[in-house]
Amino acid sequence: MQRFSLIFNAIFKKKRYLIIIILLINVYILPANVMIPVKDASAKDWNPKTFWHEPWGASIVHKGIDIFAKKGQPVLAATNGITIFQGNIKRGGHIIIMLDRSLRLHYYAHLSEASHAPLIAFQGEPIGFVSNTGNAKGKPAHLHYSVFSIFPHPWRIDSSTHGWKKMFYLNPQDLF
């Protein structure tokens, strides 16, 4: 019986390392396919210089992109994912946060309401509607979209304001 236990433990250790290796490959080498999350939007619908732009109000730097569209335009799941939060926060207004297979968080803000996302959403599936809630009130309707990696990318750190946070925030337009 003790021999069986030793063999089982050895196999389990090897599988644990294999799972870690597969996870790291999935996160760093094979990132999830991401699409522009507003129906009929293209790269001309946001300013490419706004990611990490400063000054940006209480946030200091802008950690995402604002995709401008008509109020009520459908917001689509940028990738397959699991909805981990739907609700209302002061700055973002009505928001949805989704987790993709690469363990990245996709943050959708300023939605007309935060109750449209299914628990499991497939890429291109409607999850909400463009609006101007939160600190976007009184501004043109847009979707604030940002992507946050749970696993750090330390090579992205630079000397810009809050530059150390760049190891977690990814520029969404680099993913499309």
Side-chain angles (χ1 to χ4, degrees), residues 33-67:
N33 182 29
V34 179
M35 64 178 272
I36 298 170
V38 175
K39 185 176 181 182
D40 299 328
S42 68
K44 67 180 175 61
D45 294 312
W46 69 84
N47 183 337
K49 296 179 182 177
T50 58
F51 178 75
W52 226 263
H53 181 76
E54 65 174 298
W56 204 273
S59 300
I60 313 229
V61 294
H62 194 238
K63 299 171 187 79
I65 60 172
D66 291 339
I67 304 170

Side-chain angles (χ1 to χ4, degrees), residues 37 59 62-67 75-76 78-79 84-85 87-100 104-111 127 133-135 143-149 169-170 172:
S59 300
H62 194 238
K63 299 171 187 79
I65 60 172
D66 291 339
I67 304 170
V75 172
L76 311 173
T79 187
I84 61 169
F85 181 80
N88 194 2
I89 62 173
K90 189 174 182 179
R91 286 189 198 159
H94 298 299
I95 69 164
I96 294 172
I97 300 174
M98 298 182 79
L99 180 69
D100 73 14
R104 295 177 180 166
L105 298 172
H106 296 256
Y107 174 79
Y108 305 84
H110 309 310
L111 303 170
I127 59 170
T133 60
N135 65 3
L143 170 71
H144 173 86
Y145 177 64
S146 62
V147 181
F148 182 89
S149 176
Y169 285 93
L170 306 177

